[in-house]
Amino acid sequence: MTLNVAGQPKKRRSFGFVVLGLFLLGVAGVLFYDVSQQPAQTLSTPPAAYSYTINQTANSDVEYFQSSFYGDTPGAGNTAYIAELTKVVNAQLYYTFSGSRSAELTATYSAEVDVKAQYVVGSTDGRDVSNVWSRKYPLIKPTTETKTSKQIVLEPEVSIPFAEYRKKIDQLKLSLSLPLTAEAAIKFVVRVKGEIDGTPIDDIRTSTVSMPLDQPLYTIANKFEKESKKEVVTEQAKDTQDTTRNYERIAVAVAGVLGLAALIFGMRRQIFKSPFQRELDRIYRYHDGIIIRANKPTNLEDRKIVSVQSFDDMLNLEEELKVPIVASPAGDEAMHFIIMRDDVAYMYTLGRVILDEESVDEVEEALPEPEPEVQPPRRRKVARRKIQ
């Protein structure tokens, strides 16, 4: 690994990883907040969405038997009615379905009346009520109409024989001597079905007009949802939003992991200290008052260097010579502690000095070239004369 003697590039690189880690963690936090705050139902593009609004109103009126007190009706402005005089109760529902664009829709509506005789157990607040007798009478059989349009308007109207239902309840109570309460409830049910770009619509609404049958005076209660707005997200939009959310979740995980890894990598020197760093911190902690910290290596080219065995020896020299100790960086894992006196430099090295590639090249260039190997002289063979 290539190291700068002063250690600056690595410090800058570590700080850069810390900044990168914090940035990635911030991005992950923003994406996570975006994913968690937006429900899936709201993630659709306007061209692919279909919205509709439903408006409902239920009206009712009462018809009386002829009497000396009233004509056929209770009179305008009267909202409480006399049960003994009531002959018929009329109810009408006004229903409007309005879509954002034209579509093929099928509307089915029906109406029925539910007549109930009930027993209130232990209290009169209506919280604990049991059915004793009930009958359901169809008023409008299920009627279906299909049309391609933006709007559907329905106005079903029904009438119930109030006097007949009241007479039947009275007969039940008198013949069996039962302490009963009774009511009649008209229920309108409207169902709209259709398909928008492959996505089905199925909306069901129930509206109720109810009145008591056992009270001499009564009022009519209407229960319906006056206005409702809904949006239909198409399958294509759902697929797009699901894909987008999945990508966002993956981006959150990747940014979080990379940010945490970069943060740990950049702060590894502070989190995981080497024995050299721990010893250096100890020296600075106890002897910082007599140490001068240099920001770059000290030039000792013209001085005689005397290597000192331990830092305690440096302390003894400092006390004897009254000269401060200079801490000179020698890479990421080494520090030179130097006391200079005249042309002599006393040096104690903490850690291991690792030269960078340029320093190694300079040292290699400074070394003398090896002398060529001297070959030993070859011995000359002398021919011997053969003596006869």
Side-chain angles (χ1 to χ4, degrees), residues 35 43 238-249:
V35 172
L43 295 176
K238 288 181 180 179
D239 293 341
T240 302
Q241 77 181 16
D242 290 341
T243 303
T244 302
R245 289 174 65 83
N246 289 335
Y247 284 149
E248 287 184 347
R249 293 190 185 100

Side-chain angles (χ1 to χ4, degrees), residues 120-139:
V120 179
V121 181
S123 64
T124 59
D125 58 1
R127 293 182 180 179
D128 194 0
V129 179
S130 300
N131 285 336
V132 177
W133 178 89
S134 64
R135 289 288 186 275
K136 290 183 179 181
Y137 302 97
L139 301 175

Side-chain angles (χ1 to χ4, degrees), residues 200-219:
I201 298 177
D202 193 355
D203 188 278
I204 301 177
R205 305 284 167 167
T206 300
S207 303
T208 305
V209 178
S210 60
M211 65 221 71
L213 297 174
D214 60 332
Q215 303 294 325
L217 288 173
Y218 69 94
T219 58

Side-chain angles (χ1 to χ4, degrees), residues 61-66 69-76 78:
D61 63 80
V62 175
E63 296 182 14
Y64 276 175
F65 291 106
Q66 290 286 345
F69 301 100
Y70 297 93
D72 294 338
T73 61
N78 295 334

Side-chain angles (χ1 to χ4, degrees), residues 382-388:
V382 180
R384 295 181 179 180
R385 286 183 68 184
K386 185 177 180 182
I387 301 175
Q388 297 292 333

Side-chain angles (χ1 to χ4, degrees), residues 125-154:
D125 58 1
R127 293 182 180 179
D128 194 0
V129 179
S130 300
N131 285 336
V132 177
W133 178 89
S134 64
R135 289 288 186 275
K136 290 183 179 181
Y137 302 97
L139 301 175
I140 299 177
K141 293 182 179 180
T143 303
T144 301
E145 47 181 78
T146 301
K147 59 188 300 187
T148 300
S149 176
K150 295 174 59 176
Q151 191 176 67
I152 294 177
V153 178
L154 301 175

Side-chain angles (χ1 to χ4, degrees), residues 245-266:
R245 289 174 65 83
N246 289 335
Y247 284 149
E248 287 184 347
R249 293 190 185 100
I250 294 173
V252 169
V254 172
V257 171
L258 291 179
L260 189 60
L263 190 62
I264 293 175
F265 184 77

Side-chain angles (χ1 to χ4, degrees), residues 66-281:
Q66 290 286 345
S67 68
S68 59
F69 301 100
Y70 297 93
D72 294 338
T73 61
N78 295 334
T79 57
Y81 310 106
I82 302 172
E84 187 69 27
L85 297 179
T86 301
K87 177 182 179 182
V88 174
V89 175
N90 303 315
Q92 186 171 13
L93 175 69
Y94 297 92
Y95 174 96
T96 303
F97 179 101
S98 301
S100 58
R101 54 190 171 97
S102 294
E104 184 176 348
L105 302 172
T106 299
T108 302
Y109 63 93
S110 63
E112 65 178 11
V113 59
D114 189 5
V115 181
K116 296 179 181 179
Q118 300 171 324
Y119 174 57
V120 179
V121 181
S123 64
T124 59
D125 58 1
R127 293 182 180 179
D128 194 0
V129 179
S130 300
N131 285 336
V132 177
W133 178 89
S134 64
R135 289 288 186 275
K136 290 183 179 181
Y137 302 97
L139 301 175
I140 299 177
K141 293 182 179 180
T143 303
T144 301
E145 47 181 78
T146 301
K147 59 188 300 187
T148 300
S149 176
K150 295 174 59 176
Q151 191 176 67
I152 294 177
V153 178
L154 301 175
E155 298 180 355
E157 183 178 6
V158 297
S159 297
I160 62 170
F162 180 89
E164 181 181 335
Y165 296 154
R166 186 169 181 270
K167 182 179 180 181
K168 186 172 294 187
I169 293 298
D170 289 341
Q171 290 175 351
L172 178 63
K173 293 171 61 176
L174 292 174
S175 61
L176 299 177
S177 301
L178 301 176
L180 300 176
T181 61
E183 72 169 5
I186 302 171
K187 293 183 180 180
F188 294 97
V189 180
V190 181
R191 182 174 188 177
V192 176
K193 299 176 67 177
E195 190 173 283
I196 305 296
D197 298 335
T199 302
I201 298 177
D202 193 355
D203 188 278
I204 301 177
R205 305 284 167 167
T206 300
S207 303
T208 305
V209 178
S210 60
M211 65 221 71
L213 297 174
D214 60 332
Q215 303 294 325
L217 288 173
Y218 69 94
T219 58
I220 298 177
N222 298 327
K223 184 179 179 181
F224 57 89
E225 189 174 6
K226 186 175 181 180
E227 185 179 51
S228 176
K229 296 181 179 180
K230 282 193 174 183
E231 284 191 354
V232 178
V233 181
T234 63
E235 292 296 334
Q236 181 180 1
K238 288 181 180 179
D239 293 341
T240 302
Q241 77 181 16
D242 290 341
T243 303
T244 302
R245 289 174 65 83
N246 289 335
Y247 284 149
E248 287 184 347
R249 293 190 185 100
I250 294 173
V252 169
V254 172
V257 171
L258 291 179
L260 189 60
L263 190 62
I264 293 175
F265 184 77
M267 298 182 65
R268 69 193 185 283
R269 293 185 60 186
Q270 287 73 25
I271 299 175
F272 310 104
K273 290 186 177 180
S274 63
F276 158 75
Q277 191 64 44
R278 287 196 296 269
E279 180 63 19
L280 183 62
D281 292 343

